[in-house]
Structure formats: structure tokens, C-alpha cells
Amino acid sequence: MSTPKIHFEMLLGRMVRDPDGVAVGRIFAAHAEIEGGDCVLREFLLGPGALLERFGFPLGRWRPTRVPWDLLDIADPGHPRLRCSAAELAGRRP
Amino acid sequence: MRNAFSSSPAPSPVRRARGGLIALLLFLIACQPSSPEEQLLKTVQPVGSWLASLEMTGRKWSSNSVPASFVEAMTASAREAIGKAAEEAAKSSARPGLRDPLRALLAEAEEAGRDLRRAVDQDDRAGVARSVGRLSALHARFEALTKGAA
Amino acid sequence: MKKLDLTRDLLDMQVVGRDGTKMGRVDGLILELRGDLPPRVDAIEMGFAVLARRMGPRAERWLAKLRRWSVRRTASQRVPWSKVKAIEPHHIQIDLDALETPAFAWEIWLRDHFVAPIEGKREKSG
Amino acid sequence: MKKALALTLGIVTSIGGFLDMGALATSAQAGASYRFQLLWTIGLATLLVIFLVEMSGRFAAATRKALPDAIREHFGFTFWLVPFFVLSLSHLLVLGTEIGGICFALHLVSGLPTSFWALPVGVLLVTFLWRSTFNTIEDSTSLLGLITLAFVVAAVSHHPPMKDLLAGFVPTLTAEEPLKYWGIAVSIVGAVLSPYLFYFYSSGAVEDDWDSSFIGVNRGIAALGMGFGSVVAMGALVVAAMVLAPRGIAMDDYHQAALMLTDAFPFWGFLLFAVGLGVACLAASLEVALSMAYATAQTFGWNWGESLDPREDARFGAVYTGAIALSSLIILVGVDPLKLTLLAMATEAAVLPFVALPFLILMNDRKLLKEHANGWISNTVAVIVLLLALVLTVVSIPLALLGGGG
């Protein structure tokens, strides 16, 4: 059990930057799934949209930026880094 | 009001707005009574209400509506308030024509309050009736004086 | 497969012990980073130390000073995910007895030093 | 039957929240200085408070959660921390004024100085809270509270001129001494829209364990309970307008208010005022102390509940005990009750947005409330309250210090 552990709550409100330091948005929510008794993190939600969603507010045109877990490096909760460029992330989104 | 002007490095807009508003209100207050006469009238304004309260208290005691202890408390706070006004009046630079009769009246008012208290302590109903009459006369004079000047 | 919103459904939720006593809140979540596998919630954390950390480093140092007077063995408590029995909209059920956890140290201390002396052996009616 | 009895929660909330020291003092002050001109502020405040109380009750019934509970859960600890802290401070001040009110009432009947009563009253409050369950508090205070109807009886017996009375419900924008006028207006709204009202009511609903079947009843309770408080407050205003104003007595001191009822009830009036004030403030102190304990326990997820034995929720008990001790201290050192009241009401008004905004957001969370979420009417009112709250926050403190003080 040498796997690193981090405090999830310390991620909240942190600004996510891509490798070039471009700001993508702040983390306000994260979706997980229960599988086989485990609670597994699937994606992070960034930006004001994420905050609105968390408050259960009618979203309107504010949509959260969704980042799949494997695209976000959270080893240092203080400075979450995107594993791809902001542009790529924008491209991925439907 | 320190909190409003609190010297935090970067005051938020709200703070600044509140600070400004307080400043404005203070400004309004500060220059409301412009002349010393108006200032004097403002400081003695509550006295009218206190005279009325003392009169009512006296009457109510005579009709057994309030206990003596209440008269005691009422006269005490009245004397305090009137005394404060008297001090201010003494300092005032208003024209003697207004200030001196007011000061005389305030002195009388304090005395009348004391009389009421004494009369009640001695359960002297006639005395209470007398000071009630005196208080209402004082109140009328006070109104005439302040209204006339204003 | 049940979906969970970690901030909405888990963090800051009421934690209820085996016997139904309110034990505290989910003040923090420990994520286990598993390399190629998605991160997994390893434990829920409760306690003032966790809250202080959320408030920032200054608060954390400040609390560390206060700890001297605390009657609690630990300022925070980790409940492994395996102990989490149910995640309900109203609370989170865990398979622990509140009285056995440090979360209740203060409760018990107050009961012994503060309530009991004043209350005496009174039996509550109604 | 249980639902009918639930009305007591409304009444006690109203007596404690509406008829507290602040509301009575400001109503009397308004009547004494402006006769009926400020009736509209009580009317407005009542309307708003009914809606807000209904919302907090509906929320509790639909989610089985009290407000502080839900706010921490929903907005996270870091969001809630500051409002929680500020609210606790204002709660302490308010508790101080209420305890001051009880002490003043005792001073009236006993002749002993107000500060003399601070400690006995503090001890009495704590013992009462320790010994009693939530229901006994509800029933006893709402029963005792009926005494305050004396203000209404007195008001009616004075036959106030109907024309002026009705005119009073139309805001007057041109009053002499506008600063004082608006100062009192703000204080009245601030005194009525007390944050602890909503904490207490929603926590109370959870204690009485309401479920969604109470949502209908809750409307009636909110309207009746708050209506009761409102009528008494208006009664106080009218009596002051009929008794104090004509004699030229303004309220510079609580002693002057004590004369209010002696015209209508020559023999009992003085005692009735003292008892009425004492009861209202007693209910209010219990309410504030409890809602402070509720808010704290719920924020940290401790065991809470007035119906539990203090052994079962020692921390909950410790909070209200500590709060009462601190607040009694304020009175013990002999702070002028009227000044304290005005300050407390100003802080209450100032913290209102902290409560109103999260409240408004929560009430619109359809995932949480489903079909019970706010409709457009409630939302309009909530938004009005929010805007009003922001205005109050900006003006309350200066106005209370400069104008409201008279």
C-alpha cells in the first residue's frame, strides 16, 4: 500500500492549469461511481457551471467544464495540472 | 463606526460603499444644526419628553397605577437626562436671549423632579399633585420657548 | 452502478453511527491515487484538524496551538471506506459505535465534567 | 390532532421572534414619535416574515433538515464559516438584549436594579432549558405568551381613529426628522426579520419531526403564528401612539414605555406591561439560545435536540449554557438596554443577507426539494427580502447609531 493519498477537499476551488500554465477553471465538483463497494472517481467539474450545478441551480448557459480523471494530475492538490493542453480539452467536449 | 472605515489593505466595494454612506450620514448629521441656537435646541429636545414622562408618572402614582419604586427609577433617569442637557446648555454659545431662560428652566425641571421624588417617598399626595402641576407648567413653558425659537 | 457527486452527496454530510447517534460530518475525503486506475475514496475524515486545514494554513497552525487543551486523543479521525454502510440523501451511515470513536471524546468529557455534576442522578421525565 | 398542536411551534416562534425586546421597543418608539405613520413597516415585515417562515418550515418538512444543517452540507464548510461566525456574534448580542428585557421587567416589579437580575435570570434560563423538553418549552411559552394580547386589548379600548390607522399602512415618505423616521423603520424590519427565527422554526419542525404531510399545515402555522406576533406589535405601536404621543412622550428610555398600558388598565396596566415584556423576552431568550445551539451542533454534526437528555447531547447543552452565561455578563456589567437593543438589531439586519442568499438558493434546489421547491411567488418575496437585506446591511448600522437612537 505505497499508493499516494491526497485530501480531496483541498482540491476544491483550486485553479486547474494546463502544461503551458493556461488557466482552465476552478474545481468545484467531482463525480464518482460505486463499483464493487469502491467509490471510484470518474471526472472533475470545473468553472462557475460546476458551482451552479453543485448548488442545484438551473444551469442555463453556464455549463461545467468536464475533465475525465485521467486528464488531471492531482498529485499536488494545491496545483492541479491538466495532462493535455486547454485547447485539446476544449476540442474533446461535445 | 471604526468597522466601516477599518483600514484593511484592500477594502471590498461593499465595505467602501458602507464607509462612504456612513461618512455621508455623519456629514448630514454634523451640519444639520448649523447655528449654535439650533444646536442648543437639539440637545435640549428630549427634555420636553422627560417633563411629560415625569408628569404622567406623578399622576399615575396618585391613581395607584405605578409603585413608588417606579417613580424612583423614572425620576432618576429623568434627572440624568435633564442634567446632561443642562451641562450642554451651559457650554452653548447660543444667544443669551434663548440660552439663559432655557438654562433656568432646566434647573427648575431638575428641582421639580427631585420634589416629585421626595413627595412620593413621603407619601405626600398633596405634594405630588403640586409637583405634577408644576411639571406640566414647565412642560408648557418649555414647548413655548423651544417652538418660539425654532 | 450508483453515481455520486462527491461534493454534493458525500463531503460535509452528516455522519451517523451504528446506534443512530450523530457522530460528526464528513469534513474531508481521502483519495487514493492508483496510477493507471481511477482515484478511489480511501476514507472519510472527521474532526477540527480537517476543518482547520480547509480554512487554510494559518488556521491550521492556530488550532495546533489550541490542541494543547483538547481532551481528544486525535484532532481528526479516519473512517475507512469499508466502514461506510449507506449513503443516503439525509445522512451517511457508518458501521462504528460513536462512543468508541475519538469523535465523541468531547461529548463524553462534557458529560462527565459538566452535565453529570449539575444533573446528578436525575431521571428525565417526558 | 398532532397537526393542530403544531400551531404552538408557530406561536412560540412568533412570540420569541416577533415580540422580542427589539420589536416591542421599536414599535413603541414608532408609535410614540410618529403615531400611526410607521404601521406599514410592521405590515411589510409581517408579510416578508410569513413567507420566509413558511419556506423554512417547508424546507424542514420536505428534507427533514434544519437550515444551518442544510447550508453547511450544501455550500461546504468554507462557504458557511464566515456567516456562521458573524451570526453567532449577533446571536449573542440579541440574547443579551432579551435577557436585558427580562431583567428590566423584573426591575419594574421589584424596584431592584436591572443588572442585579442578570445572574438569577441566566441561571433560570439554563435550568429551564436543561430540565424541559422542546414540547414543554413550546407549550408553556405559547400559553404564557397570550398575556401579550393585553397590548391588543388596550389598543382597541383606546378606539384609535380608523382613518389615521389605515393611512398608517401607506408609507409616508415625507416625515419630520427623516433620519429618525427611517432609522426606526429599518430597526422594525430588522427586529422582525431575525435570522434566528428561521433557524429556530426549521430546527423546531425537525424536533417535532414533521414530514412532507405537514407542508399544508405549515402554511397556516406560519401565517397564524406570525400574524399573532404582528398584531401584538401593532397593538404596542397603537397604544404608544394613543398614550405617549399625545402627551409628547418620546421613548428615550424603557421606563417611559412602562407607562403605556396604565391608561387602558389603571390598576393592572403596569404589571401587565412588565409581565408581557418579561414573557416575550423569556421566549425570545430561549429561542435565541436554542437556535445558537442548533446552528453550532448542526454545523459540526454533533448530536442535537432539546428533547434529548443533556447527557445525550452534552455539547449542544454546553453551547446554549455558554451563550447564556456570556450574554448575562453583558447585562451584568450594566450596558444600557435600549442602546444594546438598537445595536443588536443593527447587527441582525446586517447579517440578514448571509442567511437570505443561501436560503434562496436552497429553496430552489429541485434535486433536494423536488416538487416542494420555491414557486415564483416565494422566489419574488425571497428576492425582495434579499434586496431589502442588502439595503439594511448598508444603512442599518449608521441609521441605528444616528437615527434610531432618537
Side-chain angles (χ1 to χ4, degrees):
Chain A
M1 275 300 279
S2 64
T3 52
K5 299 190 174 161
I6 62 145
H7 294 284
F8 169 76
E9 69 276 10
M10 301 312 282
L11 277 171
L12 296 175
R14 300 291 180 183
M15 175 57 79
V16 172
R17 298 186 178 278
D18 77 352
D20 318 327
V22 180
V24 184
R26 296 184 179 277
I27 305 180
F28 284 116
H31 288 165
E33 281 168 359
I34 304 283
E35 44 179 45
D38 277 358
C39 180
V40 178
L41 203 149
R42 288 297 175 202
E43 59 174 3
F44 296 92
L45 281 73
L46 279 52
L51 198 58
L52 285 174
E53 189 175 298
R54 174 167 144 202
F55 293 164
F57 230 51
L59 293 172
R61 33 180 285 276
W62 294 89
R63 294 238 162 272
T65 313
R66 297 174 177 279
V67 180
W69 68 271
D70 52 347
L71 284 186
L72 196 63
D73 171 10
I74 53 173
D76 170 9
H79 308 87
R81 294 201 146 281
L82 210 57
R83 285 210 171 89
C84 66
S85 78
E88 279 174 64
L89 184 73
R92 286 175 47 98
R93 252 177 300 148
Chain B
M1 246 144 296
R2 246 186 305 96
N3 60 337
F5 297 114
S6 86
S7 55
S8 59
S12 77
V14 182
R15 276 185 101 85
R16 218 179 285 115
R18 189 188 299 181
L21 194 114
I22 292 174
L24 180 77
L25 282 169
L26 279 177
F27 175 75
L28 284 172
I29 287 299
C31 54
Q32 226 175 12
S34 50
S35 72
E37 283 71 23
E38 288 174 29
Q39 229 145 12
L40 176 60
L41 287 175
K42 198 168 162 45
T43 49
V44 300
Q45 187 202 18
V47 173
S49 149
W50 278 111
L51 286 167
S53 314
L54 286 173
E55 180 190 343
M56 185 177 180
T57 311
R59 290 190 195 284
K60 290 299 175 181
W61 180 83
S62 314
S63 59
N64 305 319
S65 300
V66 298
S69 66
F70 177 72
V71 182
E72 199 175 305
M74 178 63 98
T75 45
S77 22
R79 197 182 306 132
E80 193 184 325
I82 297 173
K84 216 178 275 142
E87 281 171 31
E88 292 300 317
K91 288 200 224 88
S92 162
S93 59
R95 61 180 154 77
L98 172 64
R99 191 189 65 205
D100 300 346
L102 257 178
R103 290 185 60 185
L105 193 151
L106 292 180
E108 268 188 78
E110 280 185 271
E111 195 189 322
R114 225 173 288 119
D115 290 351
L116 176 64
R117 164 85 183 274
R118 198 180 303 115
V120 167
D121 288 347
Q122 294 159 356
D123 200 22
D124 160 15
R125 298 194 165 267
V128 170
R130 241 180 286 111
S131 41
V132 163
R134 185 171 171 204
L135 281 161
S136 71
L138 277 170
H139 188 208
R141 257 176 62 202
F142 177 84
E143 291 303 319
L145 199 53
T146 47
K147 292 285 171 299
Chain C
M1 204 178 307
K2 186 159 173 264
K3 288 203 179 302
L4 269 186
D5 182 329
L6 289 189
T7 44
R8 230 187 119 84
D9 307 332
L10 214 50
L11 197 60
D12 293 304
M13 285 292 280
Q14 178 76 56
V15 177
V16 172
R18 199 185 284 135
D19 52 356
T21 41
K22 302 189 180 71
M23 289 177 58
R25 287 185 177 275
V26 182
D27 297 323
L29 285 175
I30 309 286
L31 287 185
E32 179 188 3
L33 306 180
R34 304 181 295 172
D36 299 344
L37 291 167
R40 174 175 70 185
V41 176
D42 178 65
I44 63 179
E45 260 194 318
M46 300 188 278
F48 281 104
V50 190
L51 292 177
R53 196 189 305 121
R54 278 168 82 173
M55 283 187 259
R58 194 188 281 107
E60 207 174 351
R61 280 197 300 279
W62 194 63
L63 185 94
K65 287 200 187 74
L66 290 179
R67 292 270 306 122
R68 203 177 304 128
W69 292 285
S70 176
V71 303
R72 266 179 72 158
R73 298 193 297 283
T74 59
S76 72
Q77 172 194 12
R78 287 190 184 189
V79 179
W81 184 255
S82 58
K83 289 283 180 197
V84 176
K85 281 289 157 269
I87 298 164
E88 286 158 23
H90 189 272
H91 63 267
I92 292 180
Q93 184 74 47
I94 68 171
D95 187 20
L96 283 176
D97 192 341
L99 295 177
E100 294 161 5
T101 65
F104 249 51
W106 268 112
E107 193 75 50
I108 293 162
W109 184 86
L110 279 169
R111 180 180 311 171
D112 300 346
H113 297 76
F114 171 74
V115 181
I118 310 178
E119 288 261 300
K121 294 274 173 288
R122 180 174 63 84
E123 280 316 311
K124 184 116 176 170
S125 58
Chain D
M1 191 53 203
K2 184 184 173 223
K3 292 200 167 56
L5 287 174
L7 181 58
T8 54
L9 175 60
I11 301 275
V12 67
T13 310
S14 164
I15 290 171
F18 215 120
L19 295 178
D20 60 345
M21 192 66 168
L24 279 176
T26 40
S27 311
Q29 202 176 21
S33 311
Y34 291 97
R35 302 199 64 235
F36 307 117
Q37 278 185 39
L38 278 161
L39 267 173
W40 65 273
T41 50
I42 302 185
L44 173 70
T46 310
L47 196 69
L48 299 178
V49 87
I50 287 177
F51 271 90
L52 289 179
V53 164
E54 188 277 332
M55 282 186 226
S56 47
R58 170 153 45 96
F59 185 87
T63 63
R64 300 280 198 130
K65 279 190 191 124
L67 275 182
D69 190 341
I71 295 177
R72 153 91 201 252
E73 219 165 82
H74 224 62
F75 296 83
F77 181 72
T78 33
F79 278 77
W80 175 225
L81 181 65
V82 174
F84 171 68
F85 187 71
V86 182
L87 276 163
S88 306
L89 281 182
S90 94
H91 272 157
L92 278 179
L93 281 179
V94 176
L95 185 52
T97 62
E98 308 304 350
I99 292 178
I102 306 176
C103 297
F104 181 74
L106 288 166
H107 151 74
L108 284 180
V109 289
S110 69
L112 293 162
T114 306
S115 53
F116 167 90
W117 290 103
L119 283 185
V121 167
V123 173
L124 172 115
L125 285 173
V126 172
T127 1
F128 188 46
L129 281 171
W130 278 51
R131 289 278 184 254
S132 53
T133 66
F134 190 76
N135 288 327
T136 48
I137 290 179
E138 266 180 336
D139 303 345
S140 54
T141 40
S142 50
L143 194 65
L144 282 171
L146 298 178
I147 292 171
T148 55
L149 284 170
F151 285 99
V152 183
V153 178
V156 173
S157 72
H158 283 298
H159 304 297
M162 263 306 147
K163 205 173 97 297
D164 305 10
L165 211 57
L166 295 176
F169 284 96
V170 184
T172 337
L173 300 174
T174 56
E176 72 271 17
E177 289 191 78
L179 203 68
K180 183 177 178 184
Y181 178 85
W182 289 107
I184 299 178
V186 165
S187 319
I188 288 182
V189 178
V192 171
L193 290 180
S194 326
Y196 67 85
L197 212 82
F198 316 114
Y199 290 2
F200 180 82
Y201 187 73
S202 58
S203 305
V206 174
E207 288 233 34
D208 285 350
D209 81 87
W210 288 13
D211 51 28
S212 43
S213 72
F214 274 77
I215 284 173
V217 187
N218 170 53
R219 283 203 191 81
I221 293 170
L224 284 177
M226 297 302 118
F228 173 86
S230 167
V231 168
V232 177
M234 291 181 178
L237 185 147
V238 170
V239 174
M242 298 303 290
V243 176
L244 302 183
R247 291 186 166 92
I249 300 179
M251 240 190 74
D252 314 295
D253 182 292
Y254 280 130
H255 285 98
Q256 290 158 316
L259 291 163
M260 265 164 63
L261 295 178
T262 49
D263 270 5
F265 313 104
F267 186 71
W268 292 107
F270 183 76
L271 193 61
L272 271 174
F273 176 86
V275 175
L277 181 70
V279 166
C281 293
L282 172 70
S285 333
L286 295 173
E287 195 165 313
V288 181
L290 275 179
S291 52
M292 188 150 176
Y294 286 136
T296 316
Q298 289 167 14
T299 298
F300 296 112
W302 302 338
N303 248 2
W304 60 274
E306 174 55 13
S307 306
L308 293 178
D309 187 303
R311 293 154 201 262
E312 295 165 65
D313 52 2
R315 285 176 293 191
F316 177 79
V319 172
Y320 64 63
T321 310
I324 290 172
L326 276 173
S327 308
S328 320
L329 221 58
I330 304 180
I331 302 304
L332 189 66
V333 299
V335 179
D336 170 17
L338 189 56
K339 285 199 179 60
L340 184 62
T341 311
L342 292 166
L343 178 64
M345 277 181 305
T347 55
E348 270 196 311
V351 295
L352 197 51
F354 288 123
V355 190
L357 180 60
F359 193 20
L360 177 60
I361 294 174
L362 274 177
M363 291 311 292
N364 283 285
D365 190 330
R366 299 205 169 274
K367 283 189 214 150
L368 203 65
L369 284 157
K370 309 201 173 47
E371 72 272 24
H372 303 308
N374 262 5
W376 64 272
I377 303 178
S378 306
N379 274 334
T380 327
V381 176
V383 170
I384 293 174
V385 171
L386 187 58
L387 296 177
L388 200 65
L390 290 170
V391 176
L392 287 180
T393 312
V394 178
V395 302
S396 57
I397 289 163
L399 273 187
L401 290 176
L402 306 176

